Amino acid sequence: MPSLAQRYAPFLRVGAAVERSTLVTHADLLLTQVNSLVCENAMKWALIHPVPGEGEASYRFADADAIVDFAAEHGMRMRGHTLVWHQQVPEWVFRASGGGMASKAEVLGRMQRHIQALLSRYRGMVSCWDVVNEALSDGPQTWRADSGWYRTAGSDDDGDGIPDYIVRAFQYAREADPSARLFYNDYGIEAGAKRERAYALAKTLKERGLIDGVGIQGHWSIHAPDEGVVRSAIERFSSLGLAVEITELDLSVFGWGDISSFDTLPPALERVQASRYGALFRVFRELAEAGKLQAVTFWGIADDQTWLDNFPVKGRKDWPLLFDVMHRPKPAFWSVARW
Ligand code: XIL
């Protein structure tokens, strides 16, 4: 079986999201197929910093450490995911020590210390960070409002048009590790109003020297988006002089809003998936060769371990990756590996 990491080495890095447990259960695939890793959950605030306070006792570094060590041992690059996100963040982060809602200063202080703790611990081992994840709205407003960050520290006191917590997060990360490449990461930013919101945000941050890249998550389906849409988005972000990565790629066999289910993957859908993956990677190779795309990370490695089994429909089996539940290459693998 060919190695995607090797096949793509001239163009871009190929990565996978992992848990500490998948380093064991999926070791063979990881070691042969990818040269970049990201923690699927282990670096998220709720997991790495579950308890208030700043001492070692407030952090749980063991799982993230194990993944970072595995990457280092095998010469893989490591992405950091994620410092500031509205999900998987404990409620205490936004609560005042004396009860009630925390002040903006309190929240920003916690954020700064958290960022400092992670970036100093993993300096030289984690080369890029998703500093802010999913801050943009899907609706008519610009900014996501259902976020503790937005509610407590989202005012725009300096009048730069960006909620202050976002700019601060990037500033704190820059100070904490000037050598780290800092990313804004989001879903749905390949098209429409959200793409332009992401573009405007990235542009402003770039003008202030605070950002190095944009992560397009890539939680797509076998029905959408069209590869031409993806191409334009990558070109648009790249035109800012930023690195662009696809950071969380998986192609659900269900279209958005489809709540049907199957016991096994229907061969017809498996074929559509193979052709969609093939079309996307043709674009990825071309743009990578032109210096406009740096890496593609899958959100998992094989279909036996995918978050889509519980999203958006809890307990519904999905088959979004290149390897099947038995870790064998799917038709989609061959259409990505062969050209
Ligand atoms: C998901 C994980 O895959 C799940 O295991 C977890 O329960 C929830 O988060 N966008 C992101 C990722 O940026 O962090 C999310 O990961 C998927 C959507």
Side-chain angles (χ1 to χ4, degrees):
M1 182 167 63
S3 155
L4 290 183
Q6 277 172 26
R7 287 290 278 145
Y8 279 83
F11 308 103
L12 40 73
R13 280 193 184 272
V14 180
V18 296
E19 305 282 17
R20 187 181 190 174
S21 59
T22 54
L23 299 179
V24 179
T25 55
H26 294 67
D28 292 353
L29 287 179
L30 295 170
L31 290 174
T32 53
Q33 296 297 329
V34 306
N35 53 18
S36 175
L37 295 180
V38 61
C39 299
E40 182 169 349
N41 288 294
M43 286 189 184
K44 291 171 181 171
W45 194 312
L47 287 105
I48 205 164
H49 189 182
V51 182
E54 290 306 321
E56 282 264 337
S58 300
Y59 287 85
R60 303 285 181 272
F61 290 122
D63 289 352
D65 284 0
I67 294 168
V68 169
D69 289 346
F70 181 94
E73 190 183 328
H74 298 290
M76 297 177 179
R77 177 190 75 147
M78 189 76 216
R79 304 194 83 250
H81 176 79
T82 176
L83 299 170
V84 174
W85 189 29
H86 66 288
Q87 289 185 31
Q88 292 179 281
V89 54
E91 197 247 328
W92 60 258
V93 174
F94 310 113
R95 209 171 47 222
S97 329
M101 193 166 111
S103 69
K104 181 173 179 176
E106 256 176 315
V107 168
L108 292 177
R110 284 178 190 141
M111 180 205 271
Q112 179 171 26
R113 292 187 293 274
H114 176 87
I115 289 176
Q116 173 67 39
L118 266 62
L119 270 66
S120 62
R121 186 174 188 90
Y122 298 120
R123 181 169 310 160
M125 306 186 87
V126 172
S127 53
C128 69
W129 284 94
D130 292 334
V131 177
V132 176
N133 195 35
E134 303 183 353
L136 292 166
S137 160
D138 297 318
Q141 334 77 310
T142 301
W143 308 105
R144 171 186 293 282
D146 61 339
S147 155
W149 297 109
Y150 186 82
R151 282 196 296 268
T152 56
S155 58
D156 178 18
D157 296 348
D158 56 10
D160 62 0
I162 303 176
D164 290 341
Y165 83 89
I166 298 175
V167 178
R168 291 301 187 90
F170 279 92
Q171 284 171 340
Y172 298 151
R174 259 292 182 262
E175 287 158 20
D177 182 0
S179 71
R181 312 265 289 153
L182 307 183
F183 277 66
Y184 177 74
N185 192 57
D186 210 335
Y187 64 86
I189 55 170
E190 56 278 346
K194 202 170 175 186
R195 183 185 84 169
E196 289 314 298
R197 289 171 191 158
Y199 178 85
L201 171 61
K203 184 169 189 286
T204 306
L205 291 170
K206 170 73 178 166
E207 282 159 4
R208 295 168 63 175
L210 293 173
I211 192 173
D212 305 298
V214 173
I216 300 172
Q217 288 185 4
H219 293 297
W220 297 322
S221 86
I222 62 171
H223 305 297
D226 181 85
E227 68 273 16
V229 167
V230 174
R231 171 198 295 278
S232 320
I234 295 170
E235 287 182 327
R236 182 125 177 90
F237 294 125
S238 168
S239 74
L240 288 170
L242 295 170
V244 180
E245 300 194 15
I246 307 296
T247 51
E248 307 185 14
L249 184 60
D250 47 21
L251 296 190
S252 173
V253 304
F254 303 102
W256 191 248
D258 177 357
I259 54 156
S260 62
S261 63
F262 307 106
D263 292 334
T264 55
L265 173 55
L269 296 189
E270 193 171 47
R271 284 193 295 274
V272 176
Q273 184 177 55
S275 100
R276 295 306 309 146
Y277 262 117
L280 286 168
F281 273 82
R282 266 193 298 282
V283 167
F284 294 161
R285 288 193 295 274
E286 192 189 311
L287 293 177
E289 250 186 317
K292 297 176 180 174
L293 179 68
Q294 274 66 43
V296 176
T297 297
F298 292 92
W299 206 242
I301 188 75
D303 286 345
D304 59 323
Q305 180 84 21
T306 167
W307 78 299
L308 292 176
D309 286 350
N310 289 300
F311 181 88
V313 181
K314 194 153 180 54
R316 177 184 65 181
K317 185 72 201 124
D318 203 341
W319 299 269
L321 297 163
L322 300 187
F323 297 91
D324 71 13
V325 294
M326 304 296 289
H327 299 189
R328 295 172 303 212
K330 293 162 66 184
F333 170 82
W334 295 108
S335 60
V336 169
R338 276 199 196 123
W339 69 83

